Amino acid sequence: MLEAYKLSKMEKNHLKGKDFLQLSDYSTDDIHYLLDVAQELKAQQKQGKPHPYLSGKVLGMIFEKSSTRTRVSFEVGMLQLGGHAIFLSSKDIQLGRGESISDTAKVLSRYVDGIMIRTFSHDSVEELAEHASIPVINGLTDLQHPCQVLADLLTILEHKGKLVGLKMCYLGDGNNNMAHSLMEGAVKTGMNFSIASPEGYLPNGKVTGKAIEAGKLTGSTVEVTNNPQEAVKDADVIVTDVWTSMGQEEETEKRLKVFESYQVNEDLCKLAKNDFIFLHCLPAHRGEEVTADIIDGPHSVVFDEAENRLHAQKAILKLLLAK
């Protein structure tokens, strides 16, 4: 059914000025369209063709969490699209000294054309979007990481030639922004999704429920289990993330023990399809959530995935900010 999507080159006017907070807010058609735009922009860059769709536009970038890929992809993306990006550390703006989120949203709306924020609380991003009169992009929260997952979908599409009918398996902390956004992105694009996490670290129930409902429309399934061998069986795509995210450092020793059997290693990957690909949003801790022979081996596409952050982010920016 979904293979019939051959998206028009005509811009999706209903996306103009919209926020990008989580993939569940977007239809299957919209996500396919964003991937189509990302592929076009990537091709234009590789061919050396200028694409200044955002000439004169300015993106304000608020960072409460440190970043490599998010900051560089958005900053370079705006430059390549003809616009400009402003880095706003929460320590350097009044938000870090007690100014309300609503006031910050209203002020920035008078200065810039869009806001990208990378922070802890998803509620903060929702509040920012509620009070801003310009598009707000979720660069990461503790609940969701939609920009990364759009790049992941682009990477899978490039390496597998399709998304529909593939099986994506996530291993590790299920109550994690990557797990949540991967689940949403997979079912929205017709992929089956399995996740293996220990008790106490299962994905958010509301996110899982919404994903199951979305899967009914696309024919996708969601499997949540504690058994990593069961989850990874016949997987086309294996994904993991660090076991200890930013803000959880005091739990490191506990988590190393809890997640030990969820490590992506050669023995576990033998249960996947022979041509599986491995993804990781990076940074990675080799020897913890994944062994070096997997992340640095022939099945790994993590650096294609990292590059695609740029192209996926440019698609989001073009769709939301271009005239």
Side-chain angles (χ1 to χ4, degrees):
M1 172 183 165
L2 297 180
E3 294 288 23
Y5 278 102
K6 185 60 181 174
L7 298 168
S8 166
K9 303 299 180 185
M10 194 168 64
E11 295 293 355
K12 295 279 186 179
N13 289 327
H14 70 281
L15 297 180
K16 301 298 182 188
K18 187 173 180 177
D19 300 315
F20 190 78
L21 306 187
Q22 55 253 332
L23 290 172
S24 60
D25 293 338
Y26 280 68
S27 70
T28 293
D29 186 34
D30 291 338
I31 295 172
H32 276 274
Y33 186 71
L34 281 165
L35 293 171
D36 189 54
V37 172
Q39 288 179 308
E40 287 188 19
L41 292 172
K42 184 173 183 177
Q44 288 175 8
Q45 180 187 323
K46 299 299 183 184
Q47 295 163 9
K49 294 181 178 178
H51 39 275
Y53 299 110
L54 299 185
S55 178
K57 298 285 186 177
V58 179
L59 178 72
M61 305 191 304
I62 300 174
F63 284 88
E64 290 189 314
K65 281 190 173 184
S66 58
S67 167
T68 298
R69 281 150 290 275
T70 299
R71 178 176 178 179
V72 176
S73 61
F74 273 104
E75 197 159 336
V76 173
M78 281 299 292
L79 179 65
Q80 291 181 354
L81 289 168
H84 183 71
I86 302 174
F87 176 78
L88 303 170
S89 167
S90 61
K91 298 176 182 178
D92 299 328
I93 61 176
Q94 297 300 331
L95 187 64
R97 298 180 64 245
E99 184 169 31
S100 69
I101 293 173
S102 60
D103 284 357
T104 300
K106 292 171 184 176
V107 170
L108 289 180
S109 295
R110 303 291 183 105
Y111 294 145
V112 299
D113 301 286
I115 301 169
M116 189 283 297
I117 180 169
R118 181 178 169 95
T119 187
F120 293 90
S121 169
H122 194 77
D123 289 341
S124 295
V125 176
E126 297 276 3
E127 184 178 354
L128 188 72
E130 179 184 353
H131 294 281
S133 58
I134 54 177
V136 172
I137 299 169
N138 176 9
L140 174 143
T141 66
D142 288 343
L143 185 69
Q144 297 279 357
H145 200 355
C147 291
Q148 174 66 55
V149 171
L150 190 66
D152 293 355
L153 295 174
L154 177 60
T155 306
I156 297 166
L157 186 60
E158 289 178 340
H159 283 271
K160 291 295 184 181
K162 66 174 186 176
L163 297 174
V164 178
L166 297 179
K167 178 180 177 179
M168 175 191 287
C169 170
Y170 176 91
L171 299 168
D173 187 359
N175 192 21
N176 166 283
N177 48 28
M178 281 301 300
H180 295 149
S181 289
L182 283 165
M183 184 187 298
E184 292 181 351
V187 299
K188 283 278 187 174
T189 55
M191 302 176 71
N192 297 313
F193 184 81
S194 65
I195 179 169
S197 305
E199 286 296 336
Y201 298 89
L202 297 176
N204 180 282
K206 289 183 178 179
V207 174
T208 303
K210 288 173 68 175
I212 291 172
E213 288 302 309
K216 292 177 181 179
L217 299 176
T218 59
S220 300
T221 59
V222 175
E223 176 190 8
V224 180
T225 180
N226 304 130
N227 188 322
Q229 288 79 19
E230 181 182 319
V232 82
K233 183 174 173 54
D234 296 325
D236 298 283
V237 182
I238 300 174
V239 194
T240 191
D241 193 8
V242 294
W243 291 340
T244 305
S245 298
M246 284 179 280
Q248 300 171 336
E249 288 78 8
E250 72 281 357
E251 302 176 26
T252 298
E253 291 303 316
K254 176 185 176 183
R255 285 171 171 267
L256 287 174
K257 295 178 181 178
V258 169
F259 291 107
E260 185 177 7
S261 62
Y262 295 84
Q263 182 189 70
V264 180
N265 53 43
E266 186 177 359
D267 286 342
L268 194 59
C269 289
K270 287 178 181 177
L271 299 172
K273 289 185 179 176
N274 291 334
D275 62 346
F276 80 91
I277 58 174
F278 173 75
L279 280 75
H280 192 304
C281 63
L282 303 179
H285 296 161
R286 288 166 174 79
E288 291 185 15
E289 74 272 9
V290 61
T291 55
D293 59 342
I294 296 297
I295 193 170
D296 298 320
H299 294 277
S300 177
V301 295
V302 298
F303 294 108
D304 291 344
E305 177 188 8
E307 178 191 340
N308 280 336
R309 287 295 303 275
L310 172 63
H311 310 298
Q313 267 59 286
K314 285 167 68 176
I316 297 167
L317 291 167
K318 180 178 184 290
L319 265 293
L320 300 189
L321 302 185
K323 294 180 182 178

